Amino acid sequence: EEVVVFAAASMKTALDAVAADFQSATGHTVTISYAGSNALAKQIIEGAPTDIFLSAAVNWMDEVEKAGLVTEGTRADLFGNTLVLVAHGTDAAPVEIGPGLDLAGLLGDGKLAMAMVDAVPAGQYGKAALESLGLWPSVEASVAQSENVRAALMLVSTGEAPYGIVYATDAVADDAVTVVGTFPDDSHKPIVYPGALLTGAADAADRAFFEALSSDAGDAKFAAQGFAILN
Amino acid sequence: MTLRIALKHRFEGFSLDLAFEAPAGVTALFGRSGSGKTTVINAVAGLFRPDEGRIAADGVVLLDTGAGRCLPPHRRRIGYVFQDARLFPHLTVRQNLLFGRWFAPAGPDVGPGVGLERIVALLGIAPLLDRRPATLSGGERQRVAIGRAILSNPRLLLMDEPLAALDEARKGEILPYLERLRDELGLPILYVSHSVAEVARLATTVVLMEAGRVTAIGPASTILSDPAIAPVMGLREAGAMISARVVAQEADGLTRLDTGAGPVWLPRIEAAEGATVRLRILAQDVMLATRRPEGISALNILSVTVRDIHLGEGPGALVRLSAGEATILARVTRRSVDALDLRAGRPVFAVLKAVSVARENVGRAGP
Amino acid sequence: MTLRIALKHRFEGFSLDLAFEAPAGVTALFGRSGSGKTTVINAVAGLFRPDEGRIAADGVVLLDTGAGRCLPPHRRRIGYVFQDARLFPHLTVRQNLLFGRWFAPAGPDVGPGVGLERIVALLGIAPLLDRRPATLSGGERQRVAIGRAILSNPRLLLMDEPLAALDEARKGEILPYLERLRDELGLPILYVSHSVAEVARLATTVVLMEAGRVTAIGPASTILSDPAIAPVMGLREAGAMISARVVAQEADGLTRLDTGAGPVWLPRIEAAEGATVRLRILAQDVMLATRRPEGISALNILSVTVRDIHLGEGPGALVRLSAGEATILARVTRRSVDALDLRAGRPVFAVLKAVSVARENVGRAGP
Amino acid sequence: MTDWLTPDEWRAVALSLRVSFWATLVSLPFGLLVAYALARWNFWGKPLLNGVVHLPLILPPVVTGYLLLIIFGRRGAVGQVLDEWFGVVLAFRWTGAALAAGIMAFPLMVRAMRLAIEAVDPRLEQAAGTLGASRPWVFATVTLPLILPGVIAGAILAFAKAMGEFGATITFVSNIPGQTQTLPSAIYAFLQVPGGEPQAARLVAIAIAIAMAALLLSEWVARAVARRISGQ
Amino acid sequence: MTDWLTPDEWRAVALSLRVSFWATLVSLPFGLLVAYALARWNFWGKPLLNGVVHLPLILPPVVTGYLLLIIFGRRGAVGQVLDEWFGVVLAFRWTGAALAAGIMAFPLMVRAMRLAIEAVDPRLEQAAGTLGASRPWVFATVTLPLILPGVIAGAILAFAKAMGEFGATITFVSNIPGQTQTLPSAIYAFLQVPGGEPQAARLVAIAIAIAMAALLLSEWVARAVARRISGQ
Ligand SMILES: Nc1ncnc2c1ncn2[C@@H]1O[C@H](COP(=O)(O)OP(=O)(O)OP(=O)(O)O)[C@@H](O)[C@H]1O
Ligand SMILES: Nc1ncnc2c1ncn2[C@@H]1O[C@H](COP(=O)(O)OP(=O)(O)OP(=O)(O)O)[C@@H](O)[C@H]1O
Ligand SMILES: [Mg+2]
Ligand SMILES: [Mg+2]
């Protein structure tokens, strides 16, 4: 049996590990297509032959659900993430993230790297957090928006931008950046990765893999990458 | 085959407006640079579409702007030797030569030596067969172009100054071949050349052009012996064409001919006894004498009668002579006209050296 | 200016190996198609680099492969009229003509009518000035190319069959101009042509080429009157060059000249009395007589002595005659040689029609 | 070699080659036709055709991919017809990736060929006509051989572009290993996760090596052709 | 017009035009030089140059953008030099966007020009040489006018590509409204949010309109030039 999964690209490392275990345990094949959540959602809506959708954004899962392609009762918020402020270098001093943070001062004439603040989830969360902390107006002009959160991290990593706002999961493996602070959970809507079994999924293997994601072993792989395990 | 041509076209600064009929044989278009010769030929080939025009070869209408008919070039079966050779740079000389073969109607090689080997030998391009055109010399290129056109087995050949880039020796080899195409294959040729000698030798019909118009047309013998037209061609080239019958090939390498006005000896002419050939006798090669000259190297002395005398602008005069049926022109000075008291009706002797009728001025009699 | 040329080069199937020296004046390269004329000229222009070679113009070394020296074409100041006109398609005729001006060393127009208007009028291209080359006729293109090369104010002119595409009338206009360039500007010219008449008229020196080698070289008068060389050029073109002094312009349009072997009358020659001109007298235009002919239209009867007789392969013979200092050739049949009992040392009369020395065979005496 | 590429990566390399090869090959005749039409014919709607051909260049690749998805997807107008009438499914197949790559590369291919066609001396084509060759034959025997360097240039541009194409492909046919995951998609996936850069770099090196090899080959062929024409 | 475009969108349009214009203009002489070198000169490292020129075509744009960042960023080898010696900063500036667009468009420009140069009859250049024109002058007075249609084609290809360039640009200079937010970035942003398609479509229409206008203009100019040469 083949299980086809459309998954947000940011899940690749953990999901590949889970899939590898699943394949060797069951003999089923798992084929995973990694791309941006928006592209995947559109493809699913256009009839992509997919069994499972793992989105990095709630709104795109909503779109798929609206199109009636989610198997009833299977949608679940699987993983969570946190938003962190990273700085270039290994010896950056930690900061207290709150309304009193002089982020603009820290930046100087440097840029604050973020994902696109109106379009990409990480950017949207980051903007919301800065707004709720009252920091947005002071830094708005200094924000460099990247295509995605990885590109934002790269800007910090190469030192082009002194600071950046990225997911905790992205920051873990990069030695060239330091996490200098974590945004309070209440400064933005919860960051969740919803997953669902799609209506096209017919066989047991699909369901089995979907369940494997929430198994302890699966959770461990995701936790190792820095994801929070929900439910 | 008769070719009927009528064209009207206006370029900026040049307009073409002519109509003529080219009977079978070789029709020479003769005129100054820029007089429209290439344009006419292009129209026949279908490469140039005039504002108005009608071109028909025998029954076949090639172009009729009135009826909106225009046969595309590849359906006209017309071989064209371009003024600029236009060889295909990506093909070898051999492939260039055989290009037309791919498209020519099936059938065995027609006529005398239209085969590749024959043409290649004639044109002296055997060593070039595997070369590409880019590095050929100017004359080599032109020879390949001639071969290519002939080998496409056309029903009409257009040649735009085909021999201009060639040396005399090569010309001398190719001209008889063109004559054979004309006579044995009956292949009609529309021929552009600035060389009166070439035209005189090949042409059945001469069309004189000036500024896009036809100023004279007629059988080559008539046009070329017309004293009124002589200045157009250059006085040096004025001359008359007469027919002569080969009477005997003599031992010392001379051929004896009968012209109707007396015997004429010329250097060996390759023709059977009894055959008719055409001789072009340049006016300036003819000397006149009131008494039969003696002890003189000239072999040919004809009794003729002065028909009329055309005084030109310069110190010269063209004297038209009746030699039996034929007409001969002589170019002399006015001073001699006076000294010899030449006038219409006076019988005189025309002196002609045997060697002065150049090989290239002896042609086979056209059809 | 003296041009020294030595070249060695091997193409596949063709090798060039020659050395010659071209003195001031016009040097004609003469040879069959494919004999290497264009290749030599290209080497002089710097467009072709031979395996080995040395080319020097006066003191200036243009090429010396031994010393690794090769002046780029634009530093050679050599005007080149190409066999294919090579006009710039994106420029108008006027811009083509003036192209070389942009780069020519500064200074006023030198010499007789090297100005644009003069050249344009001479070449008859005034109506074309604002056209682009694409639609020019073959001859028009060549004329523009000639003008372009001359107007670039070169110190040496290379001309590769410049007049081949032109009609006789136009040639007749351009040739005297080239003579003036040669004589009045002292512009040296390397000239390729298949026309002996052109060569005879213009050339100071003739270089005969065959298969990449020089077979003969010498002053034009010597080479062209050498009976041994005559067959190469075509027997019809064999002839001798003699110098003559203008004695008087007579009332009936004739010019009286003194040749050293007696007076000669020719149609008006535009030269002052006392001037020296060169006449080319074709062997076939000369008749021999043992008695002075009378009552004959030929005006010019010279007393000469037979020097030697060259029997060719055919029925003809070339008779070399001493006319005072000068040499004249006569082409007669063997039959006449026998009939008149011609042999070396015998005094005879050479008969020459006034009109048979064509205008194009009268040139100004070269430098 | 096998050590440092996973099976999935191998498949991505093989797929990229297959996709690029077929994208180039199949678009070649269409490219030639369109280039010829643009260079030589005058017809109504020529500017429109010219514009449409250039579209993939102008639009962000994502947009092109999205349009392809809408048109050629399973539910797309053309996609449905192709599926029902011919049984051809493009969406989420390697064929779709080839379509995307071909369309993205099309303007480059057409431009190169068009320039080559415009440089052919029409007088040579006329000469071929007088020798009896009809239009199609003139094209086959004269025009085509003369524009061969341009055709090769167009093809290699298209191939290179197809090798590098990513945005439209991933948008149209997703990134399914073994089916639609081309080299660039695989590189993209690695770049999206922490620590994926070294793997991405390896794949980039492979992409460069392949493209360079293709480039050298094409240059060599084009030079050989040009040398023949110049007769050296 | 002003109603249906927000000020930010207006700025994106203006910026895209500016970026594409300068990217095309500045890369023109370099493109010409490289095209000439590839077409006419023989030098060591020619295949390498040829390969490097094609790289942006082969690599996923993100990779190109990343490489640009490493080389031309503030800390990049070249970027530092430019900054310290000339005070030129590319990172996060529209100039950087122009650089990215120019580099992505470079292979297209070079190919078009190279084909045009290869089609020039060297015998015309020789003729110019005999008339006294040195190499540079021959280029300026003969070669350049003759390849003008190819240069225009190359420029318009580059302009179109620059208008559509997105991946390398956003990776290199990010997306700062008014500074580096080009039309494709704006379109991309709309496509990232559900229901953004209509807005994206509006911007796509504008991009198409601009590119078509440029295309028509270039065709018209190229035709005028070609007509002059053919003498009609
Ligand atoms: N498209 C055109 N526009 C304007 N004039 C033209 C065009 N085509 C030809 N001409 C002119 O028409 C005239 C006739 O040209 P054509 O080529 O027929 O001359 P030709 O008799 O062959 O001359 P040549 O002996 O020099 O080859 C020339 O003056 C030429 O400039
Ligand atoms: N690159 C080359 N490779 C091989 N053969 C060549 C090359 N270039 C020239 N040739 C040959 O060299 C010979 C001389 O050529 P060239 O052009 O000098 O002749 P030419 O005397 O000018 O003849 P024409 O009167 O026909 O113009 C020709 O046979 C030609 O085919
Ligand atoms: Mg002509
Ligand atoms: Mg030559």
Side-chain angles (χ1 to χ4, degrees):
Chain A
E1 303 293 321
E2 189 185 26
V3 185
V4 180
V5 183
F6 273 24
S10 53
M11 299 179 172
K12 180 172 164 61
T13 313
L15 194 55
D16 277 348
V18 176
D21 287 353
F22 180 77
Q23 291 190 125
S24 52
T26 64
H28 297 305
T29 351
V30 182
T31 305
I32 311 171
S33 174
Y34 295 107
S37 303
N38 67 318
L40 296 172
K42 282 174 182 155
Q43 287 162 359
I44 291 166
I45 293 166
E46 288 297 328
T50 325
D51 304 317
I52 296 169
F53 179 35
L54 302 177
S55 172
V58 174
N59 52 7
W60 284 112
M61 184 59 94
D62 294 345
E63 289 296 307
V64 174
E65 197 167 17
K66 253 190 270 172
L69 295 170
V70 170
T71 307
E72 207 132 333
T74 60
R75 173 171 174 170
D77 290 340
L78 296 175
F79 310 108
N81 213 336
T82 45
L83 214 51
V84 296
L85 182 67
V86 292
H88 176 70
T90 51
D91 50 357
V95 298
E96 179 66 33
I97 294 183
L101 177 66
D102 180 16
L103 188 50
L106 283 177
L107 289 172
D109 62 355
K111 297 286 181 192
L112 177 66
M114 295 174 71
M116 292 174 101
V117 297
D118 294 323
V120 179
Q124 292 167 328
Y125 292 128
K127 181 181 175 188
L130 291 173
E131 276 175 336
S132 76
L133 296 172
L135 301 177
W136 178 249
S138 63
V139 299
E140 182 178 2
S142 303
V143 173
Q145 307 178 31
S146 292
E147 180 185 359
N148 54 55
V149 69
R150 295 288 310 167
L153 181 65
M154 193 154 66
L155 289 178
V156 183
S157 172
T158 56
E160 285 306 314
Y163 290 91
I165 299 176
V166 299
Y167 290 131
T169 50
D170 292 308
V172 285
D174 198 326
D175 297 336
V177 302
T178 326
V179 175
V180 294
T182 304
F183 283 87
D185 283 343
D186 57 1
S187 65
H188 54 81
K189 282 192 281 181
I191 302 170
V192 295
Y193 292 73
L197 213 56
L198 301 177
T199 49
D203 45 59
D206 302 331
R207 194 167 288 271
F209 184 68
F210 189 60
E211 275 156 11
L213 290 172
S214 323
S215 70
D216 289 346
D219 286 349
K221 304 279 191 227
F222 278 91
Q225 290 298 314
F227 288 97
I229 310 302
L230 301 182
N231 65 46
Chain B
M1 177 150 114
T2 319
L3 191 66
R4 265 172 243 270
I5 300 176
L7 301 173
K8 264 208 178 73
H9 192 85
R10 290 191 59 81
F11 290 119
E12 215 180 311
F14 178 80
S15 75
L16 198 71
D17 183 358
L18 49 77
F20 66 89
E21 196 170 307
V26 174
T27 302
L29 292 185
F30 197 92
R32 294 196 59 167
S33 167
S35 57
K37 306 178 295 295
T38 301
T39 309
V40 169
I41 283 202
N42 278 340
V44 175
L47 303 181
F48 162 69
R49 195 167 175 166
D51 295 339
E52 276 177 62
R54 192 169 190 288
I55 299 175
D58 273 344
V60 191
V61 176
L62 302 179
L63 170 82
D64 189 344
T65 51
R69 186 175 162 76
C70 180
L71 215 59
H74 68 277
R75 305 260 309 278
R76 297 193 178 192
R77 289 196 50 212
I78 288 178
Y80 192 159
V81 181
F82 295 90
Q83 201 165 0
D84 48 338
R86 299 202 197 175
L87 301 182
F88 302 123
H90 59 297
L91 300 180
T92 61
V93 166
R94 185 195 311 276
Q95 289 165 332
N96 265 284
L97 288 170
L98 293 176
F99 190 91
R101 278 290 159 97
W102 302 351
F103 307 105
D109 286 354
V110 277
V114 186
L116 181 66
E117 285 77 35
R118 174 78 178 82
I119 297 279
V120 163
L122 171 85
L123 296 167
I125 50 181
L128 312 177
L129 282 179
D130 294 318
R131 296 250 304 271
R132 269 165 228 283
T135 59
L136 297 185
S137 82
E140 287 165 349
R141 221 168 281 177
Q142 202 57 26
R143 282 181 270 160
V144 176
I146 293 173
R148 184 178 68 172
I150 292 174
L151 284 167
S152 75
N153 198 6
R155 60 181 170 197
L156 169 64
L157 201 53
L158 306 177
M159 308 190 88
D160 201 351
E161 303 189 33
L163 309 183
L166 299 185
D167 51 289
E168 291 299 327
R170 187 63 68 187
K171 272 187 206 172
E173 285 160 37
I174 295 177
L175 273 171
Y177 180 76
L178 294 179
E179 282 179 332
R180 289 182 59 197
L181 285 181
R182 176 193 68 191
D183 300 342
E184 296 176 27
L185 282 190
L187 186 66
I189 304 179
L190 212 54
Y191 194 92
V192 173
S193 171
H194 289 126
S195 156
V196 181
E198 263 169 60
V199 168
R201 172 147 180 193
L202 276 182
T204 331
T205 308
V206 173
V207 178
L208 275 182
M209 289 186 58
E210 212 179 294
R213 272 143 194 83
V214 170
T215 51
I217 176 170
S221 50
T222 315
I223 294 280
L224 295 177
S225 11
D226 186 341
I229 290 177
V232 179
M233 313 219 153
L235 275 173
R236 181 169 162 75
E237 295 292 346
M241 300 241 288
I242 59 174
S243 291
R245 206 166 45 76
V246 176
V247 176
Q249 302 288 7
E250 300 189 354
D252 57 358
L254 297 180
T255 300
R256 179 177 173 162
L257 301 135
D258 184 10
T259 61
V264 164
W265 284 267
L266 294 181
R268 170 86 74 224
I269 292 167
E270 297 304 338
E273 291 182 14
T276 303
V277 296
R278 12 186 241 186
L279 310 181
R280 178 152 172 275
I281 297 173
L282 293 182
Q284 65 170 12
D285 287 341
V286 179
M287 233 183 263
L288 297 181
T290 45
R291 281 181 291 172
R292 178 177 283 273
E294 271 160 39
I296 194 165
S297 64
L299 292 176
N300 308 311
I301 298 173
L302 305 177
S303 318
V304 297
T305 315
V306 174
R307 232 168 84 187
D308 49 23
I309 298 171
H310 291 256
L311 298 176
E313 289 166 24
L318 268 179
V319 182
R320 189 141 59 159
L321 308 159
S322 298
E325 302 283 279
T327 300
I328 296 179
L329 289 185
R331 196 162 150 239
V332 299
T333 54
R334 287 170 184 234
R335 185 178 293 189
S336 299
V337 171
D338 296 341
L340 303 185
D341 189 22
L342 299 179
R343 53 191 142 67
R346 171 150 195 192
V348 291
F349 296 94
V351 182
L352 184 66
K353 294 181 64 181
V355 291
S356 59
V357 179
R359 197 154 280 278
E360 73 197 44
N361 282 335
V362 181
R364 295 165 174 243
Chain C
M1 178 152 113
T2 320
L3 190 66
R4 264 171 244 270
I5 300 177
L7 301 173
K8 265 208 177 74
H9 192 85
R10 289 191 60 81
F11 290 119
E12 215 180 311
F14 178 82
S15 75
L16 197 72
D17 183 358
L18 49 77
F20 67 88
E21 195 170 307
V26 174
T27 302
L29 293 184
F30 197 90
R32 295 196 58 165
S33 168
S35 57
K37 308 178 291 298
T38 301
T39 309
V40 170
I41 281 202
N42 278 341
V44 175
L47 303 181
F48 162 70
R49 196 169 171 164
D51 294 340
E52 274 176 65
R54 192 168 189 288
I55 299 175
D58 274 344
V60 191
V61 176
L62 302 179
L63 171 82
D64 189 344
T65 51
R69 186 176 161 77
C70 181
L71 214 59
H74 68 277
R75 305 259 308 279
R76 297 192 178 192
R77 288 196 52 211
I78 287 178
Y80 192 158
V81 180
F82 295 90
Q83 202 165 358
D84 47 339
R86 301 201 196 175
L87 301 182
F88 303 122
H90 58 296
L91 301 180
T92 61
V93 167
R94 185 197 307 277
Q95 289 165 333
N96 265 284
L97 289 170
L98 292 176
F99 190 91
R101 278 290 159 95
W102 302 350
F103 307 105
D109 286 355
V110 276
V114 186
L116 181 66
E117 284 78 36
R118 174 77 180 81
I119 296 279
V120 162
L122 171 84
L123 297 166
I125 48 181
L128 312 176
L129 282 178
D130 294 319
R131 296 252 303 272
R132 270 168 227 282
T135 58
L136 297 185
S137 82
E140 287 165 348
R141 221 168 280 176
Q142 202 57 27
R143 283 180 270 160
V144 176
I146 294 173
R148 184 178 68 171
I150 293 174
L151 284 168
S152 74
N153 197 8
R155 59 181 171 197
L156 168 63
L157 201 53
L158 307 176
M159 309 189 89
D160 201 350
E161 303 189 31
L163 309 183
L166 298 185
D167 51 288
E168 292 299 328
R170 188 61 70 187
K171 272 186 206 174
E173 286 160 36
I174 296 178
L175 274 172
Y177 180 75
L178 295 179
E179 283 179 330
R180 289 181 62 197
L181 285 183
R182 178 193 69 190
D183 301 340
E184 295 176 27
L185 281 190
L187 186 66
I189 304 180
L190 214 53
Y191 195 91
V192 173
S193 172
H194 289 126
S195 156
V196 182
E198 262 169 61
V199 169
R201 171 144 180 198
L202 275 183
T204 331
T205 308
V206 172
V207 179
L208 274 181
M209 289 186 58
E210 211 180 296
R213 271 144 195 83
V214 170
T215 51
I217 174 170
S221 49
T222 315
I223 295 281
L224 294 176
S225 7
D226 187 341
I229 290 175
V232 180
M233 315 218 153
L235 276 174
R236 180 167 164 77
E237 294 292 347
M241 301 243 286
I242 59 172
S243 291
R245 206 168 45 78
V246 176
V247 175
Q249 302 287 8
E250 300 190 352
D252 56 359
L254 296 180
T255 300
R256 178 176 173 163
L257 300 134
D258 184 13
T259 61
V264 163
W265 284 266
L266 295 182
R268 170 86 76 222
I269 293 166
E270 297 303 338
E273 290 182 14
T276 304
V277 295
R278 19 188 235 183
L279 310 181
R280 178 152 171 273
I281 297 172
L282 293 182
Q284 65 171 12
D285 287 342
V286 179
M287 234 184 265
L288 297 181
T290 45
R291 280 181 291 171
R292 177 176 285 271
E294 272 160 38
I296 193 164
S297 65
L299 291 176
N300 306 311
I301 299 170
L302 305 175
S303 321
V304 298
T305 316
V306 174
R307 236 168 82 185
D308 50 22
I309 298 171
H310 291 256
L311 299 175
E313 288 166 22
L318 267 179
V319 181
R320 189 141 60 158
L321 307 160
S322 298
E325 300 283 277
T327 301
I328 297 179
L329 290 183
R331 197 162 149 235
V332 298
T333 56
R334 286 170 183 234
R335 184 178 294 191
S336 299
V337 170
D338 296 340
L340 303 186
D341 189 22
L342 299 179
R343 56 193 141 68
R346 171 152 194 191
V348 292
F349 296 96
V351 182
L352 184 66
K353 295 180 62 181
V355 290
S356 79
V357 179
R359 197 154 281 277
E360 72 196 44
N361 283 336
V362 181
R364 298 165 172 241
Chain D
M1 283 271 281
T2 27
D3 308 356
W4 51 281
L5 279 186
T6 68
D8 265 5
E9 289 169 356
W10 265 117
R11 276 188 283 165
V13 170
L15 187 73
S16 263
L17 283 174
R18 174 153 30 130
V19 163
S20 305
F21 176 77
W22 286 104
T24 308
L25 196 73
V26 172
S27 52
L28 211 65
F30 296 100
L32 212 45
L33 182 70
V34 171
Y36 195 85
L38 290 176
R40 287 286 164 85
W41 297 339
N42 268 319
F43 52 94
W44 185 92
K46 181 165 162 177
L48 194 73
L49 175 64
N50 193 21
V52 170
V53 165
H54 279 82
L55 265 192
L57 206 60
I58 300 155
L59 297 178
V62 182
V63 174
T64 308
Y66 187 47
L67 290 175
L68 286 176
L69 186 61
I70 291 172
I71 299 169
F72 290 98
R74 294 191 163 200
R75 319 217 164 162
V78 181
Q80 273 184 347
V81 171
L82 284 178
D83 189 0
E84 282 166 26
W85 293 21
F86 305 99
V88 174
V89 180
L90 293 169
F92 312 109
R93 301 277 170 88
W94 74 266
T95 44
L99 176 70
I103 287 198
M104 291 299 285
F106 203 63
L108 314 188
M109 177 182 265
V110 168
R111 242 332 155 162
M113 292 178 180
R114 179 176 168 185
L115 275 171
I117 292 170
E118 282 170 342
V120 170
D121 188 345
R123 293 178 309 166
L124 289 178
E125 297 174 325
Q126 289 183 344
T130 66
L131 291 164
S134 59
R135 277 286 180 99
W137 274 113
V138 171
F139 182 80
T141 57
V142 176
T143 319
L144 191 58
L146 288 176
I147 63 172
L148 215 50
V151 173
I152 293 170
I156 195 65
L157 268 184
F159 184 84
K161 173 72 196 168
M163 283 296 292
E165 215 306 297
F166 159 63
T169 309
I170 201 170
T171 311
F172 177 30
V173 292
S174 208
N175 183 11
I176 306 169
Q179 301 226 26
T180 63
Q181 184 173 61
T182 58
L183 216 38
S185 311
I187 293 170
Y188 163 82
F190 279 121
L191 286 178
Q192 291 306 306
V193 293
E197 288 88 355
Q199 274 120 310
R202 251 176 339 135
L203 295 184
V204 164
I206 292 174
I208 294 181
I210 292 173
M212 289 300 126
L215 207 59
L216 281 179
L217 185 72
S218 78
E219 290 284 328
W220 185 80
V221 173
R223 200 132 37 136
V225 170
R227 218 185 358 246
R228 289 185 71 187
I229 293 180
S230 78
Q232 261 101 55
Chain E
M1 283 273 279
T2 28
D3 309 358
W4 51 282
L5 280 185
T6 68
D8 265 3
E9 289 170 357
W10 265 118
R11 274 187 287 163
V13 170
L15 188 72
S16 264
L17 282 174
R18 174 152 33 131
V19 163
S20 305
F21 175 77
W22 284 104
T24 308
L25 195 73
V26 172
S27 53
L28 211 67
F30 297 100
L32 211 45
L33 181 71
V34 171
Y36 194 85
L38 289 176
R40 287 288 165 86
W41 296 340
N42 266 320
F43 52 93
W44 184 92
K46 181 165 160 175
L48 193 73
L49 175 64
N50 194 22
V52 169
V53 165
H54 280 83
L55 267 191
L57 207 60
I58 300 155
L59 296 178
V62 182
V63 175
T64 308
Y66 184 59
L67 292 175
L68 285 177
L69 193 60
I70 291 174
I71 300 169
F72 291 98
R74 288 182 181 218
R75 314 237 163 154
V78 181
Q80 274 185 344
V81 172
L82 285 179
D83 189 0
E84 283 167 26
W85 293 21
F86 306 99
V88 175
V89 179
L90 295 167
F92 305 123
R93 302 279 169 87
W94 74 267
T95 44
L99 176 71
I103 287 200
M104 292 299 285
F106 204 62
L108 315 187
M109 178 182 263
V110 168
R111 239 338 151 161
M113 293 179 180
R114 178 175 169 185
L115 276 170
I117 292 170
E118 283 170 342
V120 170
D121 188 347
R123 292 177 310 165
L124 289 178
E125 297 175 323
Q126 289 183 343
T130 66
L131 291 165
S134 60
R135 278 286 180 97
W137 274 112
V138 171
F139 182 80
T141 57
V142 177
T143 319
L144 191 57
L146 288 176
I147 63 172
L148 215 49
V151 172
I152 294 170
I156 195 66
L157 269 183
F159 185 83
K161 173 72 195 168
M163 284 295 293
E165 215 306 297
F166 163 64
T169 308
I170 197 168
T171 308
F172 179 32
V173 293
S174 259
N175 178 20
I176 306 170
Q179 300 226 28
T180 62
Q181 184 175 54
T182 58
L183 215 39
S185 305
I187 294 171
Y188 178 78
F190 278 123
L191 286 177
Q192 294 296 310
V193 290
E197 288 87 358
Q199 273 123 308
R202 245 177 344 132
L203 295 184
V204 164
I206 291 175
I208 293 181
I210 292 173
M212 289 300 127
L215 207 60
L216 281 179
L217 185 71
S218 79
E219 289 285 328
W220 184 81
V221 173
R223 199 129 39 134
V225 169
R227 214 180 7 239
R228 288 185 71 186
I229 292 180
S230 78
Q232 260 103 59

